[in-house]
Amino acid sequence: MSIRRTATRAFILAGATVAGLLAAAPANALPPHPFGPPALTIGCPNQGSLMSLTGATGQSGPEPGINPGEIRFQTFPAAPPIPAAGQVTVAWINFDTGQNGIANLEGAYPYYSKTVYTGRGNVMATVFGSINLGSMPLCQSNPTFGNFIA
């Protein structure tokens, strides 16, 4: 019985040591995580095409320029033709804290980005917007969704 007690104590001590080491390990951010399928814009002819695709990613911190609890949302062209201009918005909710928000991405289209404080936790976000394909009317881009850990 004392061997069993000694083994149990050793197991508990080893488990506590491993847990302490894992907790003390530096936090590494996940790589940029893509949203679901690229945002599809249909019905606006541009350069001979009836559609355009815009991709989006979310990068959580800590990374240069991204603090813990923040996510940088970014867009990029996913398939030609590249629209002439656009306005892209991200809406997000943190399921762990209840925090939520809406932000317009900024920059030179199609390479928009915005770093937002979402709080730490499980974040669901959607990216949507309007696209200007030059001489054609403004079109709406279908939303795309992503799940991120901040």
Side-chain angles (χ1 to χ4, degrees):
M1 191 125 161
S2 79
I3 293 175
R4 187 175 192 181
R5 187 177 302 162
T6 304
T8 301
R9 286 181 181 169
F11 180 72
I12 291 171
L13 182 60
T17 303
V18 169
L21 290 173
L22 290 176
N28 291 326
L30 298 171
H33 184 73
F35 278 76
L40 178 64
T41 303
I42 300 176
C44 299
N46 180 32
Q47 302 169 18
S49 176
L50 293 178
M51 69 173 210
S52 149
L53 293 174
T54 300
T57 62
Q59 170 70 53
S60 57
E63 285 287 318
I66 310 171
N67 295 317
E70 292 181 337
I71 299 177
R72 177 182 296 139
F73 297 103
Q74 303 175 101
T75 62
F76 57 91
I82 296 175
Q87 182 271 320
V88 180
T89 302
V90 61
W92 57 271
I93 182 168
N94 184 323
F95 287 121
D96 295 335
T97 66
Q99 291 173 279
N100 59 75
I102 298 175
N104 289 325
L105 303 187
E106 302 165 345
Y109 192 82
Y111 299 99
Y112 284 150
S113 71
K114 179 82 171 193
T115 301
V116 297
Y117 181 78
T118 61
R120 292 181 183 240
N122 184 22
V123 176
M124 175 68 77
T126 181
V127 171
F128 56 93
S130 58
I131 306 297
N132 180 347
L133 297 174
S135 62
M136 297 297 154
L138 219 56
C139 302
Q140 296 301 310
S141 178
N142 291 329
T144 185
F145 296 88
N147 192 29
F148 308 92
I149 303 296

